[in-house]
């Protein structure tokens, strides 16, 4: 069996139920956004079910920026599992961790992780957009309490 390095990003490294609700939200957003032409609208609906409308309004353009940079400057496409899959793929785990690290203000670490996903010119804009995205979601959790794992991700 020949090893396909690009498919290594799909390798299951855990289960969605094992990560924080914020990480599960990031994984769900990543999966749904790229699941078809309706993806961005479905992500907007997902956000509005779990955070305030104001937070969703702040997060959606940041998600759009993050995903645009990942596509236009990506070293390779991030491999995603289907929206209802219980597995947590390697690329999905790295993406969710990246958003959290960026949100916590660990800029150098976040840029190091970003360098695994995108080429040089996109490092800073990707890190800044992901940091703001994660920060808005962390603030929402602090204000309203933990968000439930998104229903779009089927848990064990």
């Amino acid at each position: 069996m020949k090893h396909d390095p690009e498919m290594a990003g799909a390798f299951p490294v855990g289960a969605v139920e094992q990560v924080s609700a914020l990480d599960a939200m990031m994984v769900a957003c990543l999966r749904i956004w790229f699941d078809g032409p309706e993806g961005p609208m479905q992500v907007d609906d997902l956000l509005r079910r779990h955070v305030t409308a104001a937070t969703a309004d702040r997060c959606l353009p940041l998600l759009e920026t993050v995903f645009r940079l990942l596509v236009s400057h990506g070293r390779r496409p991030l491999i995603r599992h289907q929206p209802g899959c219980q597995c947590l793929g390697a690329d999905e785990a790295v993406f969710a961790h990246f958003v959290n690290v960026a949100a916590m203000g660990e800029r150098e670490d976040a840029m190091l992780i970003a360098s695994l996903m995108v080429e040089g010119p996109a490092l800073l804009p990707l890190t800044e957009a992901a940091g703001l995205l994660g920060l808005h979601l962390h603030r929402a959790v602090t204000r309203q309490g933990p968000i439930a794992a998104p229903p779009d991700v089927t848990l064990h």
Side-chain angles (χ1 to χ4, degrees):
M1 182 169 166
K2 185 177 177 187
H3 174 70
D4 182 355
E6 286 193 12
M7 290 309 292
F11 187 82
V13 295
V16 174
E17 71 179 2
Q18 296 172 329
V19 300
S20 72
L22 285 175
D23 284 355
M25 177 68 76
M26 287 297 89
V27 170
C29 288
L30 177 66
R31 289 176 177 182
I32 294 166
W33 190 278
F34 293 103
D35 196 42
E38 303 279 320
M41 288 186 297
Q42 292 172 345
V43 167
D44 186 42
D45 292 342
L46 174 68
L47 288 171
R48 290 177 191 286
R49 287 194 309 265
H50 294 281
V51 298
T52 66
T55 298
D57 287 343
R58 288 184 202 102
C59 289
L60 197 63
L62 292 166
L63 276 168
E64 184 176 2
T65 298
V66 165
F67 293 145
R68 180 181 42 77
L69 289 168
L70 286 170
V71 168
S72 63
H73 295 282
R75 294 192 177 279
R76 64 168 176 75
L78 292 183
I79 306 299
R80 304 166 310 279
H81 289 244
Q82 293 299 312
C85 183
Q86 299 173 23
C87 296
L88 177 67
D91 283 357
E92 296 167 333
V94 168
F95 173 72
H97 182 64
F98 164 65
V99 172
N100 273 313
V101 170
M104 295 298 106
E106 300 294 334
R107 189 176 203 180
E108 291 82 13
D109 288 345
M111 289 184 67
L112 179 63
I113 297 167
S115 73
L116 300 172
M117 297 184 288
V118 297
E119 297 169 346
L123 288 175
L124 186 57
L126 178 65
T127 300
E128 289 181 356
L132 286 172
L133 170 64
L135 189 59
H136 288 309
L137 291 174
H138 279 286
R139 284 181 181 157
V141 169
T142 301
R143 278 192 297 256
Q144 69 191 39
I147 56 177
D152 303 280
V153 178
T154 305
L155 304 177
H156 294 271

